[in-house]
Structures are given as C-alpha cells and as structure tokens.
Amino acid sequence: MMGTNVSLEENFQAYVDGENKVEPKDWMPEKYRRTLIRQISQHAHSEIIGMQPEANWITRAPSLRAKLILLAKVQDEAGHGLYLYSAAETLGEPRETMISDLQSGKAKYSSIFNYPTPSWADMGTIGWLVDGAAIQNQVMLTRTSYGPYARAMVKICKEESFHQRQGYEVVMKLAQGTPEQKAMAQESLNRWWWPSLMMFGPSDDESPNSAQSMKWKIKRKSNDTLRQEFVDKTVPQVEYLGLTVPDSDLKWNEARGHYDFGVINWDEFYNVVQGNGPCNKERIAHHVEAHEEGAWVREAANAFAQKQAQRKKNTGAAA
Ligand code: 3HC
C-alpha cells in the first residue's frame, strides 16, 4: 500500500473494511499500532495480575481435585499473558517496556483484580463471572482486525470456557450445599457482581477509545453491548442456582428483549482504575518482587542464547 499518508490511511481503512486481517509487516497508521499495543499489553497485564487473587487459594483448596483445577487455571492465565505479550511484541513493543509500564503504574490492567478474595466461594465466582465476562469480550476479539491478536484469542477462548465452567461448578456445589455454604456463595456474588459489569469498560458515551476502535474493527461490539449480553446470559444462571443478583433495579424488559439493570458506580470504577482499590498496591508489589526474584532465569536464558549465537557464528566462519 504505497502513496501519500492520506491515501495510505484511506487504503488502510478500505483494507480493514474489506474484512482483511492486518499483519505485523503491513503498513498501519501509527495510532492503530499504538492502540493495539495499549490494548494487547493491558490485556496481558490483566492475565498476569489476575493470577494473584486465585493463587491465594491454591494452598487452601478444599480438596485435591479443587486444588488441581485451580492450579491448572492459574497456569493457563500465565500462558495467556505470555501469549499476549508476544502478540504485542509483533508491533515492535519490547517486553521490558511493557513490564516496566505495568510496574510503574503507567499501564493499566483490569480493575477487577484489585479486589480481595476472602472466601473459597470467590474462586467459583471469579471463574463464573470474571472469566465469563472475559469470554464475552474475547469471543468478539477473535474477529479483531489485527491478525496475531485475533489468532491468540481463538486459543485463549477455548481455555476460558473451562475456566468459566469450573467456576460455575464451584458456586453450584455451594449453592446446593448447606445453608452456610449457600450464604457464602451469595455473599461472594454480592461482592463480584458489579465489578464484573465494570470489566467491559466505561459506557459507550464515556469511552474515549471505542469510536476509533470500532472504525478500525479492533472492537466489533461496544462496551455497553457486551455488558448487556453478559447480563442477559448470566441472570438466568443466578436464578438457576437460587441466588439473587444484588441489583434491586434488575428486571426483564419484554419490549427491549433484555434485562434492565441499575446504575453502575463509576466513581468506584475510576477510583480503582486510578490505583485506589483494595489491593492495587499489593498486586504491583507482588509483581515487582516476583519479577526481581526471576531475574536470574532471564539472565541465564539470555547468556545461553548469546553463547548459542556465538557458537553458530564461529562454526559459520570456520565452514
Ligand atoms: N479496568 C481497568 N481499566 C479499564 C477497564 C477495566 N475494566 N475498562 C476500561 N479501562 C480503561 C481503558 O484501558 C482506557 O484507558 P487507557 O486509554 O489509558 O488504556 C479507559 O479505561 C477508557 O476505556 P475505553 O473503553 O475507552 O478503552 P478500550 O477501548 O481499550 O476498551 C476494554 C476497554 C473493553 C477493556 C478493551 O481494552 C479490551 O477489550 N481489552 C481486551 C480485553 C481485556 O483486557 N480484558 C481484561 C480482562 S482479561 C481477563 O479477565 C482474563 C481472564 O482470564 C480472567
């Protein structure tokens, strides 16, 4: 795609409008590239930080089976993070830059992971609601215009489905257990319902990025559309468990064919996003500590790679 910048942008838009996938070596507007680096790296940060609230329960899982499932899920999240960092690197953003932006607070990650997990029921509610909300968004992202991101989503969505099902099974066991267990499930739902709705981002009229991201087919559905789909899908699941959605304004609207629901506390959302949530500081401090502890692994891997490259060069020179 050659020519002046204007026709390059026009050609690019026509290419995207033609449902073509943009690949790393294709020309792309610098803003498109920066938007993708921002979104994909923050997605990766969310996966990695999201390991912490759940890892908190690995040593306290109520059975060996539950421990194995939780271990598998947390390991999956690590893999998702690494996968997504690699997708962001195809846009020329070094891994080190992304990590330091996370640790300095310059980059965001999903605010949902700044809430504590005081009860075992939270392991179920996170899998059911948080991974459920993530799936709603990520299935849409399997059709995003940037090729490496869309392809990464296909693999990640398959594993998220396991995450969501195992979470729902945990909550179902509690909801169908003793009255104390059912109360534990309800108390957890009360704490995670609204932060899960916030995962989809600010409302469409408040979102500074959505219009352009929709135009470039980075986003295929708006924040509010995905949020509504999630509510419509999840409320019947809550009712099946005999639990109650903590929203007195929730009611089915026959004319709309959707649930009407109450007003989200956006002050809470922006407060947590700005670093004032219950666990923000703890999450970043833990990430910094783990990253520093793992420095020797990166040094060893780099030393090995350099030795290999030198050996290849020497044998090439000798041949
Ligand atoms: N938490 C923290 N920040 C959020 C947020 C949230 N839940 N929702 C939106 N924001 C931020 C945005 O990053 C943006 O800030 P920035 O411009 O500095 O990055 C600002 O709020 C305005 O939001 P917009 O809607 O305009 O921004 P986007 O167009 O980027 O849309 C998004 C936000 C829908 C989260 C989009 O970035 C996206 O789809 N990201 C990919 C999916 C993702 O990151 N999901 C996070 C959870 S992953 C997960 O849960 C893993 C699972 O395994 C548990």
Side-chain angles (χ1 to χ4, degrees), residues 245-295:
V245 173
D247 176 0
S248 54
D249 294 324
L250 182 84
K251 66 180 173 308
W252 178 253
N253 182 322
E254 196 52 44
R256 282 197 329 122
H258 296 290
Y259 283 95
D260 292 337
F261 53 91
V263 177
I264 292 173
N265 180 345
W266 292 115
D267 289 343
E268 176 186 335
F269 170 74
Y270 286 111
N271 197 31
V272 176
V273 170
Q274 280 146 24
N276 308 313
C279 301
N280 296 56
K281 292 177 182 51
E282 175 190 333
R283 299 285 186 247
I284 296 301
H286 183 84
H287 187 281
V288 169
E289 185 190 351
H291 191 70
E292 283 168 359
E293 273 175 14

Side-chain angles (χ1 to χ4, degrees), residues 38 42 47 77 108 111 137 160 201 207-209 219 223:
R38 173 185 64 82
Q42 292 183 163
E47 300 278 4
E77 308 300 10
K108 295 181 170 73
S111 57
N137 174 295
E160 294 292 9
S207 160
N209 300 302
K219 276 185 180 179
N223 297 357

